[in-house]
Amino acid sequence: MKTTLFLLSLSAIVTAATPPATSVSFEKTQLLDKYVSEGASIGDVNNDGKMDVIAGPLWWQGPDFKESFSYAPVKYHSITGKGLSGYASNFFTFPDHISDDEWLDILKVGLPGTAAEWAKNPGQNPFPATNKKQSCTHCAAQADVCNEAPRYLDVIGDEKKELLSFSGNTISLAIQHADEAEKWEVLSISPKNKRFKKYSHGLGSGDVNGDGLNDVLEQEGWWEQPKDWDKKTPWTYHEAVFRSEKRGGAQMYAFDVNGDGRNDVVTSLDGHGYGLAWFEQKEDGSFTQHDIMTDKAEGNPFGVVFSQLHAVNCADVDGDGRTDIITGKCYFAHNGKDPGAKDPAVLYWFRNVKNDDGSISFIPYEIDNDSGVGRQFSSGDLNGDGKLDIVTSNKKGVQIFLQK
Protein backbone atom coordinates (compact mmCIF):
# COMPACT_ATOMS: atom_id res chain seq x y z
CA MET A 1 0.00 0.00 0.00
CA LYS A 2 1.67 3.20 -1.22
CA THR A 3 1.01 6.61 0.27
CA THR A 4 1.80 9.91 -1.45
CA LEU A 5 1.05 13.46 -0.32
CA PHE A 6 -0.48 15.76 -2.92
CA LEU A 7 -0.99 19.49 -2.46
CA LEU A 8 -3.76 20.80 -4.70
CA SER A 9 -2.39 22.63 -7.72
CA LEU A 10 -3.60 23.75 -11.14
CA SER A 11 -2.06 22.18 -14.24
CA ALA A 12 -2.74 24.92 -16.78
CA ILE A 13 -1.46 24.29 -20.28
CA VAL A 14 -2.17 27.79 -21.57
CA THR A 15 -1.75 31.27 -20.18
CA ALA A 16 -4.72 31.62 -17.88
CA ALA A 17 -5.79 33.01 -14.56
CA THR A 18 -4.14 31.60 -11.47
CA PRO A 19 -6.59 30.21 -8.91
CA PRO A 20 -6.49 31.65 -5.41
CA ALA A 21 -4.60 29.61 -2.85
CA THR A 22 -6.47 26.94 -0.94
CA SER A 23 -5.65 25.27 2.35
CA VAL A 24 -7.31 22.06 1.17
CA SER A 25 -5.00 19.15 0.40
CA PHE A 26 -5.39 15.39 0.12
CA GLU A 27 -3.25 12.39 0.96
CA LYS A 28 -3.54 9.65 -1.66
CA THR A 29 -3.36 5.98 -0.72
CA GLN A 30 -3.57 3.23 -3.31
CA LEU A 31 -5.43 0.25 -1.87
CA LEU A 32 -5.18 -1.89 -5.01
CA ASP A 33 -3.25 -1.55 -8.27
CA LYS A 34 -5.59 -3.86 -10.23
CA TYR A 35 -8.84 -3.24 -12.11
CA VAL A 36 -11.62 -4.78 -10.05
CA SER A 37 -14.58 -2.43 -10.56
CA GLU A 38 -15.82 0.83 -12.07
CA GLY A 39 -17.15 2.16 -8.78
CA ALA A 40 -16.29 2.65 -5.11
CA SER A 41 -18.40 3.45 -2.07
CA ILE A 42 -18.22 4.08 1.67
CA GLY A 43 -20.01 2.25 4.48
CA ASP A 44 -19.57 0.45 7.79
CA VAL A 45 -19.45 -3.13 6.48
CA ASN A 46 -18.34 -4.84 9.70
CA ASN A 47 -20.55 -2.80 12.03
CA ASP A 48 -17.69 -1.51 14.20
CA GLY A 49 -18.60 2.18 13.92
CA LYS A 50 -15.78 2.90 11.45
CA MET A 51 -16.21 3.64 7.76
CA ASP A 52 -14.90 1.05 5.31
CA VAL A 53 -14.19 1.27 1.55
CA ILE A 54 -16.03 -0.98 -0.93
CA ALA A 55 -14.93 -1.63 -4.50
CA GLY A 56 -16.49 -4.46 -6.47
CA PRO A 57 -16.44 -7.66 -4.37
CA LEU A 58 -13.76 -6.30 -2.03
CA TRP A 59 -13.86 -4.10 1.06
CA TRP A 60 -11.11 -2.51 3.14
CA GLN A 61 -11.50 -2.16 6.89
CA GLY A 62 -11.24 1.32 8.34
CA PRO A 63 -9.80 3.34 9.85
CA ASP A 64 -6.37 2.34 8.45
CA PHE A 65 -7.61 0.35 5.40
CA LYS A 66 -4.67 -2.04 5.60
CA GLU A 67 -6.75 -5.23 5.78
CA SER A 68 -9.17 -6.26 3.04
CA PHE A 69 -11.91 -8.88 2.71
CA SER A 70 -14.42 -10.04 0.12
CA TYR A 71 -18.10 -10.93 0.02
CA ALA A 72 -18.06 -12.58 -3.43
CA PRO A 73 -15.44 -14.18 -5.72
CA VAL A 74 -12.69 -11.72 -6.63
CA LYS A 75 -11.77 -11.31 -10.27
CA TYR A 76 -9.36 -8.83 -11.79
CA HIS A 77 -10.00 -7.54 -15.30
CA SER A 78 -8.04 -6.38 -18.31
CA ILE A 79 -8.31 -2.65 -19.06
CA THR A 80 -8.67 -3.31 -22.81
CA GLY A 81 -10.17 -6.02 -24.98
CA LYS A 82 -12.69 -6.79 -27.68
CA GLY A 83 -16.35 -6.17 -26.97
CA LEU A 84 -17.07 -6.24 -23.26
CA SER A 85 -13.88 -8.11 -22.33
CA GLY A 86 -12.19 -4.85 -21.36
CA TYR A 87 -14.73 -4.02 -18.65
CA ALA A 88 -15.26 -5.13 -15.08
CA SER A 89 -18.52 -6.90 -14.30
CA ASN A 90 -19.16 -4.60 -11.32
CA PHE A 91 -19.94 -0.94 -12.08
CA PHE A 92 -21.75 0.34 -8.98
CA THR A 93 -21.97 -0.63 -5.31
CA PHE A 94 -24.60 1.01 -3.09
CA PRO A 95 -24.31 0.08 0.63
CA ASP A 96 -27.59 0.07 2.57
CA HIS A 97 -29.47 -1.75 5.33
CA ILE A 98 -31.73 -3.77 3.05
CA SER A 99 -32.27 -6.89 5.15
CA ASP A 100 -33.86 -6.77 8.59
CA ASP A 101 -30.66 -7.54 10.51
CA GLU A 102 -28.00 -5.16 11.83
CA TRP A 103 -25.51 -5.66 9.01
CA LEU A 104 -24.97 -3.35 6.04
CA ASP A 105 -25.84 -5.00 2.71
CA ILE A 106 -24.64 -4.05 -0.78
CA LEU A 107 -26.75 -3.36 -3.87
CA LYS A 108 -24.71 -4.25 -6.96
CA VAL A 109 -25.18 -2.97 -10.53
CA GLY A 110 -23.07 -4.27 -13.39
CA LEU A 111 -22.78 -3.56 -17.09
CA PRO A 112 -25.70 -1.66 -18.63
CA GLY A 113 -28.55 -3.99 -19.53
CA THR A 114 -27.74 -6.54 -16.83
CA ALA A 115 -29.63 -7.25 -13.62
CA ALA A 116 -29.04 -5.60 -10.26
CA GLU A 117 -28.84 -7.78 -7.16
CA TRP A 118 -28.17 -7.22 -3.51
CA ALA A 119 -25.60 -9.08 -1.47
CA LYS A 120 -26.60 -9.99 2.06
CA ASN A 121 -23.81 -9.22 4.51
CA PRO A 122 -22.39 -12.45 6.00
CA GLY A 123 -21.73 -10.59 9.25
CA GLN A 124 -18.79 -11.72 11.34
CA ASN A 125 -17.57 -14.20 8.72
CA PRO A 126 -16.24 -12.26 5.73
CA PHE A 127 -14.24 -14.08 3.08
CA PRO A 128 -10.53 -13.38 2.49
CA ALA A 129 -9.44 -10.95 -0.20
CA THR A 130 -7.89 -13.91 -2.06
CA ASN A 131 -11.28 -15.58 -2.35
CA LYS A 132 -12.03 -16.95 -5.82
CA LYS A 133 -15.07 -19.16 -5.15
CA GLN A 134 -17.04 -18.25 -2.03
CA SER A 135 -20.02 -15.91 -2.13
CA CYS A 136 -22.48 -14.59 0.38
CA THR A 137 -26.20 -14.80 -0.39
CA HIS A 138 -27.14 -12.75 -3.44
CA CYS A 139 -30.79 -11.74 -3.97
CA ALA A 140 -32.62 -10.47 -7.05
CA ALA A 141 -33.35 -6.74 -7.18
CA GLN A 142 -34.11 -5.46 -10.70
CA ALA A 143 -33.61 -6.88 -14.18
CA ASP A 144 -32.43 -4.77 -17.13
CA VAL A 145 -30.76 -1.75 -15.50
CA CYS A 146 -29.91 0.34 -18.54
CA ASN A 147 -28.86 3.93 -17.82
CA GLU A 148 -25.09 4.29 -17.29
CA ALA A 149 -25.61 6.51 -14.24
CA PRO A 150 -28.15 4.66 -12.06
CA ARG A 151 -28.78 6.30 -8.71
CA TYR A 152 -29.77 4.86 -5.35
CA LEU A 153 -31.57 7.45 -3.25
CA ASP A 154 -34.92 8.27 -1.68
CA VAL A 155 -36.84 9.78 -4.58
CA ILE A 156 -40.46 9.31 -3.46
CA GLY A 157 -39.98 10.36 0.17
CA ASP A 158 -40.80 7.07 1.90
CA GLU A 159 -37.54 7.16 3.93
CA LYS A 160 -36.16 4.25 1.91
CA LYS A 161 -33.87 4.43 -1.10
CA GLU A 162 -34.99 3.34 -4.56
CA LEU A 163 -32.87 2.31 -7.54
CA LEU A 164 -33.42 4.96 -10.21
CA SER A 165 -32.55 3.80 -13.72
CA PHE A 166 -33.90 3.10 -17.19
CA SER A 167 -35.60 -0.24 -17.68
CA GLY A 168 -37.94 -1.59 -20.35
CA ASN A 169 -37.69 1.72 -22.27
CA THR A 170 -39.01 3.68 -19.30
CA ILE A 171 -37.53 5.66 -16.43
CA SER A 172 -37.97 3.35 -13.48
CA LEU A 173 -37.83 3.22 -9.69
CA ALA A 174 -37.14 -0.17 -8.08
CA ILE A 175 -38.58 -0.38 -4.57
CA GLN A 176 -36.33 -2.33 -2.22
CA HIS A 177 -37.57 -5.48 -0.51
CA ALA A 178 -35.91 -7.15 2.51
CA ASP A 179 -37.27 -10.61 1.68
CA GLU A 180 -34.49 -12.59 0.00
CA ALA A 181 -37.02 -14.51 -2.11
CA GLU A 182 -38.89 -11.46 -3.43
CA LYS A 183 -37.90 -9.40 -6.45
CA TRP A 184 -38.12 -5.65 -6.06
CA GLU A 185 -41.20 -3.85 -7.33
CA VAL A 186 -40.30 -1.80 -10.41
CA LEU A 187 -42.40 1.33 -11.03
CA SER A 188 -42.30 3.42 -14.20
CA ILE A 189 -42.47 7.19 -13.89
CA SER A 190 -42.54 7.77 -17.66
CA PRO A 191 -44.32 6.33 -20.69
CA LYS A 192 -42.31 3.93 -22.84
CA ASN A 193 -39.89 5.65 -25.19
CA LYS A 194 -37.10 4.15 -27.28
CA ARG A 195 -34.70 6.86 -26.14
CA PHE A 196 -34.72 5.32 -22.64
CA LYS A 197 -32.37 2.61 -23.85
CA LYS A 198 -29.29 0.69 -22.85
CA TYR A 199 -26.11 2.78 -22.65
CA SER A 200 -28.01 6.02 -22.06
CA HIS A 201 -26.16 8.70 -20.09
CA GLY A 202 -27.21 11.18 -17.42
CA LEU A 203 -29.58 10.64 -14.51
CA GLY A 204 -30.35 12.23 -11.16
CA SER A 205 -32.95 13.50 -8.74
CA GLY A 206 -33.72 16.67 -6.82
CA ASP A 207 -36.49 19.16 -6.14
CA VAL A 208 -36.41 21.21 -9.34
CA ASN A 209 -39.61 23.26 -8.87
CA GLY A 210 -39.38 23.80 -5.10
CA ASP A 211 -42.58 21.98 -4.15
CA GLY A 212 -40.86 19.77 -1.60
CA LEU A 213 -40.96 16.66 -3.81
CA ASN A 214 -37.95 15.15 -5.56
CA ASP A 215 -38.12 15.21 -9.34
CA VAL A 216 -36.06 13.16 -11.79
CA LEU A 217 -33.40 14.65 -14.06
CA GLU A 218 -32.24 13.17 -17.37
CA GLN A 219 -30.35 14.49 -20.36
CA GLU A 220 -33.47 15.71 -22.22
CA GLY A 221 -35.23 17.42 -19.30
CA TRP A 222 -36.86 16.70 -15.96
CA TRP A 223 -39.88 14.78 -14.72
CA GLU A 224 -42.09 16.40 -12.09
CA GLN A 225 -43.20 14.15 -9.24
CA PRO A 226 -46.94 14.52 -8.68
CA LYS A 227 -48.35 15.07 -5.23
CA ASP A 228 -49.76 11.85 -3.73
CA TRP A 229 -48.47 9.78 -6.63
CA ASP A 230 -50.56 6.65 -7.22
CA LYS A 231 -47.44 4.75 -8.43
CA LYS A 232 -49.06 4.33 -11.85
CA THR A 233 -49.56 7.73 -13.49
CA PRO A 234 -46.59 9.01 -15.52
CA TRP A 235 -44.91 12.09 -14.11
CA THR A 236 -45.14 15.42 -15.97
CA TYR A 237 -42.27 15.94 -18.41
CA HIS A 238 -40.50 19.31 -18.80
CA GLU A 239 -38.16 19.52 -21.77
CA ALA A 240 -34.65 20.94 -21.30
CA VAL A 241 -31.29 20.05 -22.84
CA PHE A 242 -28.67 18.97 -20.28
CA ARG A 243 -26.16 17.27 -22.59
CA SER A 244 -23.72 17.60 -25.47
CA GLU A 245 -24.74 17.11 -29.09
CA LYS A 246 -23.88 13.40 -28.86
CA ARG A 247 -24.98 12.19 -25.41
CA GLY A 248 -25.44 13.04 -21.76
CA GLY A 249 -22.92 12.89 -18.99
CA ALA A 250 -23.12 11.17 -15.64
CA GLN A 251 -24.80 11.66 -12.27
CA MET A 252 -26.97 14.82 -12.27
CA TYR A 253 -27.77 17.14 -9.36
CA ALA A 254 -30.32 19.82 -8.52
CA PHE A 255 -29.40 22.42 -5.89
CA ASP A 256 -29.34 26.20 -5.55
CA VAL A 257 -25.95 27.10 -7.03
CA ASN A 258 -26.26 30.91 -6.88
CA GLY A 259 -28.45 31.42 -3.83
CA ASP A 260 -31.48 32.89 -5.62
CA GLY A 261 -33.90 30.42 -4.06
CA ARG A 262 -34.31 28.29 -7.19
CA ASN A 263 -32.62 24.93 -7.66
CA ASP A 264 -30.27 24.74 -10.62
CA VAL A 265 -28.88 21.68 -12.42
CA VAL A 266 -25.24 20.51 -12.39
CA THR A 267 -23.97 17.83 -14.75
CA SER A 268 -21.16 16.78 -17.04
CA LEU A 269 -22.24 17.09 -20.65
CA ASP A 270 -20.71 13.98 -22.21
CA GLY A 271 -19.48 10.90 -20.35
CA HIS A 272 -17.17 10.03 -23.23
CA GLY A 273 -16.33 13.52 -24.47
CA TYR A 274 -15.95 16.97 -22.98
CA GLY A 275 -17.98 19.44 -20.99
CA LEU A 276 -19.04 20.38 -17.47
CA ALA A 277 -21.78 22.95 -16.82
CA TRP A 278 -24.35 24.29 -14.43
CA PHE A 279 -27.78 25.30 -15.70
CA GLU A 280 -29.28 28.33 -13.97
CA GLN A 281 -33.00 28.09 -13.42
CA LYS A 282 -34.75 31.34 -14.28
CA GLU A 283 -37.94 32.71 -12.77
CA ASP A 284 -40.03 31.31 -15.63
CA GLY A 285 -38.62 27.80 -15.11
CA SER A 286 -36.30 27.89 -18.13
CA PHE A 287 -32.58 27.12 -17.83
CA THR A 288 -29.50 29.05 -18.93
CA GLN A 289 -26.33 27.04 -19.49
CA HIS A 290 -23.10 28.23 -17.84
CA ASP A 291 -20.04 26.32 -19.03
CA ILE A 292 -17.51 25.42 -16.35
CA MET A 293 -15.23 23.52 -18.72
CA THR A 294 -15.38 22.84 -22.48
CA ASP A 295 -13.29 20.92 -25.00
CA LYS A 296 -10.68 23.68 -25.16
CA ALA A 297 -8.37 25.23 -22.58
CA GLU A 298 -9.79 28.66 -23.35
CA GLY A 299 -13.20 27.33 -22.31
CA ASN A 300 -12.14 27.55 -18.68
CA PRO A 301 -10.73 30.75 -17.09
CA PHE A 302 -7.97 28.67 -15.53
CA GLY A 303 -7.10 26.69 -18.65
CA VAL A 304 -8.36 23.33 -17.38
CA VAL A 305 -9.71 20.80 -19.85
CA PHE A 306 -10.12 17.02 -19.71
CA SER A 307 -12.48 14.44 -21.21
CA GLN A 308 -14.56 11.42 -20.14
CA LEU A 309 -16.35 12.92 -17.13
CA HIS A 310 -18.27 9.70 -16.53
CA ALA A 311 -18.79 10.25 -12.80
CA VAL A 312 -19.66 13.43 -10.89
CA ASN A 313 -20.19 14.10 -7.20
CA CYS A 314 -21.45 17.31 -5.60
CA ALA A 315 -20.51 18.03 -1.98
CA ASP A 316 -19.04 20.73 0.26
CA VAL A 317 -15.33 19.93 -0.04
CA ASP A 318 -13.86 22.83 1.94
CA GLY A 319 -16.56 23.22 4.59
CA ASP A 320 -17.62 26.74 3.61
CA GLY A 321 -21.30 25.85 3.34
CA ARG A 322 -21.38 25.94 -0.48
CA THR A 323 -21.78 22.83 -2.62
CA ASP A 324 -18.76 22.14 -4.81
CA ILE A 325 -18.22 19.73 -7.72
CA ILE A 326 -15.86 16.75 -7.79
CA THR A 327 -15.13 14.95 -11.05
CA GLY A 328 -12.32 13.66 -13.24
CA LYS A 329 -11.40 11.53 -16.22
CA CYS A 330 -12.82 8.02 -16.50
CA TYR A 331 -9.61 6.46 -17.76
CA PHE A 332 -10.15 4.34 -20.90
CA ALA A 333 -13.94 4.58 -20.57
CA HIS A 334 -14.22 3.19 -24.11
CA ASN A 335 -10.99 1.21 -24.06
CA GLY A 336 -8.95 4.17 -25.25
CA LYS A 337 -11.25 5.16 -28.12
CA ASP A 338 -12.65 8.38 -26.62
CA PRO A 339 -11.29 11.88 -27.31
CA GLY A 340 -8.38 12.64 -25.00
CA ALA A 341 -8.34 9.03 -23.79
CA LYS A 342 -4.56 8.95 -23.27
CA ASP A 343 -4.37 12.25 -21.39
CA PRO A 344 -3.58 12.07 -17.65
CA ALA A 345 -6.28 10.47 -15.50
CA VAL A 346 -6.97 13.57 -13.44
CA LEU A 347 -9.21 14.10 -10.43
CA TYR A 348 -10.40 17.66 -9.66
CA TRP A 349 -12.64 19.55 -7.32
CA PHE A 350 -14.29 22.78 -8.45
CA ARG A 351 -14.87 25.29 -5.67
CA ASN A 352 -18.22 27.09 -5.80
CA VAL A 353 -17.55 30.81 -5.29
CA LYS A 354 -20.08 33.63 -5.39
CA ASN A 355 -18.43 36.79 -6.73
CA ASP A 356 -19.10 40.35 -5.56
CA ASP A 357 -21.30 41.00 -8.60
CA GLY A 358 -23.46 37.97 -7.78
CA SER A 359 -22.03 35.75 -10.53
CA ILE A 360 -20.74 32.25 -9.84
CA SER A 361 -17.27 30.85 -10.46
CA PHE A 362 -16.23 27.21 -10.15
CA ILE A 363 -12.50 27.32 -9.42
CA PRO A 364 -10.65 24.09 -10.34
CA TYR A 365 -8.07 22.46 -8.08
CA GLU A 366 -6.24 19.32 -9.13
CA ILE A 367 -6.32 16.52 -6.56
CA ASP A 368 -4.40 13.92 -8.56
CA ASN A 369 -3.25 13.17 -12.12
CA ASP A 370 -2.96 9.38 -12.07
CA SER A 371 -6.29 7.96 -10.90
CA GLY A 372 -9.36 9.76 -12.21
CA VAL A 373 -12.88 8.40 -11.78
CA GLY A 374 -14.75 5.35 -13.02
CA ARG A 375 -18.53 5.23 -13.43
CA GLN A 376 -19.02 5.85 -9.71
CA PHE A 377 -16.95 7.32 -6.92
CA SER A 378 -17.95 8.43 -3.44
CA SER A 379 -17.16 11.16 -0.96
CA GLY A 380 -17.66 11.31 2.77
CA ASP A 381 -15.82 11.43 6.08
CA LEU A 382 -13.74 8.26 6.06
CA ASN A 383 -11.69 8.78 9.22
CA GLY A 384 -14.04 10.78 11.46
CA ASP A 385 -12.11 14.05 11.40
CA GLY A 386 -15.05 16.05 10.03
CA LYS A 387 -13.46 16.57 6.60
CA LEU A 388 -14.66 15.25 3.27
CA ASP A 389 -12.63 12.42 1.73
CA ILE A 390 -12.88 10.66 -1.65
CA VAL A 391 -12.73 7.00 -2.78
CA THR A 392 -12.34 5.86 -6.41
CA SER A 393 -12.11 2.57 -8.29
CA ASN A 394 -11.41 2.23 -11.98
CA LYS A 395 -8.86 0.98 -14.47
CA LYS A 396 -6.15 2.67 -12.41
CA GLY A 397 -7.02 0.59 -9.33
CA VAL A 398 -8.62 1.53 -6.01
CA GLN A 399 -7.60 4.79 -4.32
CA ILE A 400 -8.55 6.80 -1.28
CA PHE A 401 -7.90 10.52 -0.84
CA LEU A 402 -7.95 11.66 2.79
CA GLN A 403 -8.33 15.38 3.26
CA LYS A 404 -5.55 16.75 5.45
Side-chain angles (χ1 to χ4, degrees), residues 134-146:
Q134 293 176 293
S135 179
C136 67
T137 300
H138 280 55
C139 312
Q142 177 185 356
D144 189 37
V145 179
C146 289

Side-chain angles (χ1 to χ4, degrees), residues 1 29 39 68 97 108 115-116 145-146 184 188 205 208 212 216-217 220 238 253 262 271-272 308 321 337 364 378:
M1 188 166 62
T29 299
S68 58
H97 288 280
K108 302 165 55 178
V145 179
C146 289
W184 292 11
S188 295
S205 180
V208 177
V216 168
L217 299 157
E220 300 287 351
H238 301 268
Y253 299 85
R262 294 184 291 271
H272 295 279
Q308 300 172 97
K337 298 176 182 178
S378 301

Side-chain angles (χ1 to χ4, degrees), residues 253-271:
Y253 299 85
F255 61 91
D256 188 0
V257 172
N258 56 0
D260 65 358
R262 294 184 291 271
N263 280 342
D264 311 297
V265 173
V266 170
T267 183
S268 62
L269 301 180
D270 190 331

